[in-house]
Structures are given as C-alpha cells and as structure tokens.
Amino acid sequence: MRPPGRVVFVVWTLCSAAAATAIEPISTSIAVGMAAALTGFLATYQNVLYYFHECCREEWISLNGSGLEADLEKKLFGQHVASKVILKAVTGFMENKNPKKPLVLSLHGWTGTGKNFISHLIAKNIYRNGMKSSFVHQFVATNHFPHPGEVQTYKAQLQQWIRGNVTSCPRSMFIFDEMDKMHPGLIDSIKPFLDYYEHLDGVSYHQAIFIFLSNAGGGKINEVALRFWDEGKERTDIQLKDLEISLSLDVFNNKNSGFWHTSLIDKNLVDFFIPLLPLEHKHVRMCVLAEMKERDLKPDETIANEIANEINYFPKEKEIFSVKGCKTIGGKLSYYT
C-alpha cells in the first residue's frame, strides 16, 4: 500500500539549514572574504525561500488564536461544548513552550455535525496553507487501511509515516477520519508517539497534534441531548462533564469504534473526548445561510427555511434533530440556486 499523497518525508535542504560548502584555501584573506560573502548570500537566499516555499518555521506555522475563536463562533453552529473545549485545548497547547506530550483530541458525533469542519478550522488557524500544508496529514480508514488481513503491515507503515513526518517537522498534525471503521488494534500501534516519552529513537513527538474523528458514541450523545430537551432544559446547559466519561467508556467497549480496548484510552493518552451535538432545524438553516455567504450569494431566508424543512429529523414522533446534520445542504443549495 502506498502512503497518502499528503505525507512527505523530505523537506528542501535550504528550508532547514544551508548545506556546508567546501572552499579551497587560496589565501586566508580571500577565504575569509569568500566565506563571509557566501554566508550572506545563503542567509538572504534562505530568507527569500522561506517566503515562497513552505517550511517548518514560525513564518508558516503559528497559531492565530483570535482567528480560531472567530471561526468557531461564527462558522460552527450548535456546538457550544466543542467550541469551548477546542479553543482552550488548542490555544493552551500551542502557547506551551514545553508540552509534556502531543495534543490528542477525539471528536465524536453523527455525520454532518462538524467533526471534519473543526479539524479544517484548526489547520487553517495554525498552518498558513491550512489543510493543503505539507505538515498536515489526513488518514481515512476506508481508503488507507481497507484490508483486514493487512493490519500488521498497516501498523508498520503508520509508524513509519508518523516518525518520518515528525522528524521532518515536529509541529506536524495528523487527522484520522472514520475511526469507527478502523480495524481493532490498529490505532494502538501509534501509542508510543502519544505518550510522555521525552524521545523515541531520538525523535520528540511533543509538539505534534493528533485528531481522531468518529461517528462512534453518536448515539450516546444524542440520548443526552434528547434528555435535556425532554426535561425542558436549554441546549447550552449541556456541559463536557455530562458526556465525556460515558463517551470514552462507550467507544472503549464498542468493537466498531476503532478504540475498542485501546491502550490510548486505558492509559489516558486522549486529552479530550469532544462531543458534537445533533443539530436542530435552526442550526441547519444557519448552515444554509453560511453556505450562501461562502458562495457569494445573497442570503435568502426563504430558501434557507425551505432547505431546512426538507431535511429529515429524529426522533420520528418529535422531529427535533437533523438525521444528517448539515451534510447535504450543499447539494440542495445548488438545486435551489
């Protein structure tokens, strides 16, 4: 199996350090002058290269905290729990000069609730090139690990890919999508990289970010959201503490979660289990209006309401939450416009 196209192991030499150049000693004065001139040229050339070619440097990788906060507030709808946790977790980690371990986030919820969108917002506000950055690596279980009989091969390749990329850039990000379709035991192969080890074979992983995306646990999250609704409580009353423990236990004991009996949970290496709540009619309408803005279309409340009304909702007798979140609104908007 070939590694994902986004994974890179080699960074241009001039992006890390100027190559040593041997100069024949014609005379001491000439040699010193040539060395000084060469050093100045290389320094200038590298600075120009840093500007045009992505490098593992602060010019290309640094947190835009205000940008992340604004994006979570204005573009992510109905997810007050996730927004709060993501902002604090990412900001705290990026501002920590000496983290003791990588940041590990696990996002859970039904399809269309914003898991992938959140990972894109994080990448956008850390890497200048966002998801297109050479230092952001996305693995999709059904694409990169499709065959159950090759799990041992996948384990070795996964370790190699992560080790190679973190060696090239310590501030790498790894996104694992469709964790609920990951073969049991596969994710345990990267457990050493997520632990508190100072170095593993000379490589430190403490500046890396790992994000897991999964539909597993969505049923448990929906139960809590529905209970709050039935009890007449506000959606915003739901807090992380109402879900995190039960969510981690649910995915740990679910053989189809990708985290089944994994040491990542057993050893408390996942920093946050983040629930994505099911979306209501008003949130779907907000998604439609946001998509219109993204396409430079004039906001149309009538169309937004019509599209939101077409979405299927559950439970059937109450029709409170969108079955597919905001996942299908792009196609429906194209039909209406």
Side-chain angles (χ1 to χ4, degrees):
M1 185 186 71
R2 298 177 63 183
R6 297 291 305 284
V7 178
V8 293
F9 296 108
V10 180
V11 179
W12 284 23
T13 305
L14 284 172
C15 277
S16 54
T21 305
I23 302 176
E24 286 294 325
I26 302 172
S27 72
T28 302
S29 59
I30 295 178
V32 170
M34 290 179 65
L38 181 61
T39 300
F41 170 76
L42 288 175
T44 301
Y45 184 73
Q46 277 190 288
N47 287 333
V48 173
L49 183 60
Y50 294 149
Y51 184 81
F52 290 105
H53 182 77
E54 184 182 33
C55 298
C56 186
R57 288 167 55 98
E58 189 174 352
E59 293 92 332
W60 291 88
I61 307 174
S62 62
L63 175 66
N64 179 0
S66 60
L68 179 59
E69 183 175 14
D71 281 346
L72 291 171
E73 180 181 341
K74 297 177 181 179
K75 298 180 180 180
L76 183 67
F77 308 118
Q79 304 297 355
H80 66 283
V81 176
S83 293
K84 181 178 180 180
V85 177
I86 290 293
L87 183 61
K88 287 190 173 182
V90 173
T91 301
F93 178 74
M94 293 296 293
E95 292 179 350
N96 186 349
K97 301 298 183 183
N98 186 32
K100 303 302 181 185
K101 64 180 290 297
L103 177 62
V104 184
L105 306 174
S106 190
L107 279 60
H108 298 263
W110 273 15
T111 184
T113 52
K115 299 183 297 295
N116 264 294
F117 186 57
I118 289 174
S119 64
H120 287 209
L121 291 182
I122 295 173
K124 170 192 170 186
N125 287 287
I126 294 179
Y127 302 87
R128 194 199 295 184
N129 286 346
M131 289 295 295
K132 295 180 180 179
S133 171
S134 300
F135 310 120
V136 176
H137 315 284
Q138 186 167 25
F139 300 89
V140 180
T142 52
N143 182 43
H144 297 120
F145 315 111
H147 306 297
E150 297 185 20
V151 171
Q152 294 306 314
T153 299
Y154 295 153
K155 286 183 178 182
Q157 289 178 331
L158 189 54
Q159 290 177 334
Q160 179 185 2
W161 293 338
I162 292 176
R163 184 183 298 111
N165 282 293
V166 174
T167 299
S168 294
C169 183
R171 189 64 88 181
S172 292
M173 178 185 290
F174 302 92
I175 302 169
F176 293 83
D177 197 3
E178 297 185 346
M179 277 297 298
D180 48 300
K181 298 178 178 63
M182 190 82 75
H183 304 296
L186 174 56
I187 204 64
D188 263 347
S189 65
I190 68 169
K191 182 262 180 187
F193 305 143
L194 310 187
D195 216 324
Y196 290 83
Y197 300 117
E198 188 66 30
H199 291 89
L200 285 173
D201 297 327
V203 180
S204 173
Y205 297 85
H206 290 185
Q207 294 186 63
I209 297 176
F210 293 80
I211 302 176
F212 303 116
L213 311 178
S214 177
N215 290 347
K220 182 69 66 176
I221 296 168
N222 295 345
E223 287 177 14
V224 173
L226 185 59
R227 174 166 57 82
F228 270 69
W229 174 280
D230 289 338
E231 293 176 357
K233 297 179 180 179
E234 294 292 331
R235 179 189 183 92
T236 51
D237 290 337
I238 301 175
Q239 301 298 318
L240 182 64
K241 64 182 180 181
D242 296 314
L243 279 162
E244 189 173 33
I245 295 177
S246 59
L247 181 57
S248 63
L249 288 174
D250 187 60
V251 298
F252 182 78
N253 292 309
N254 183 350
K255 195 166 186 178
N256 296 316
S257 72
F259 289 105
W260 182 65
H261 289 185
T262 176
S263 59
L264 271 63
I265 296 178
D266 194 36
K267 299 299 182 182
N268 298 308
L269 297 181
V270 178
D271 295 299
F272 294 99
F273 286 91
I274 303 173
L276 278 295
L277 302 174
L279 301 182
E280 301 171 19
H281 182 281
K282 62 183 178 182
H283 303 126
V284 175
R285 190 174 60 74
M286 294 165 74
C287 286
V288 177
L289 292 172
E291 182 67 17
M292 288 179 175
K293 183 177 180 181
E294 187 72 20
R295 299 186 188 186
D296 294 324
L297 299 174
K298 183 179 179 181
D300 190 316
E301 293 282 355
T302 300
I303 292 179
N305 278 318
E306 288 182 6
I307 293 177
N309 290 337
E310 285 187 8
I311 301 294
N312 293 320
Y313 294 86
F314 73 95
K316 189 173 182 180
E317 65 278 7
K318 298 179 180 179
E319 295 191 339
I320 303 170
F321 304 118
S322 170
V323 172
K324 295 182 179 180
C326 287
K327 195 173 185 67
T328 61
I329 59 107
K332 291 184 180 296
L333 181 58
S334 297
Y335 172 79
Y336 276 91
T337 56

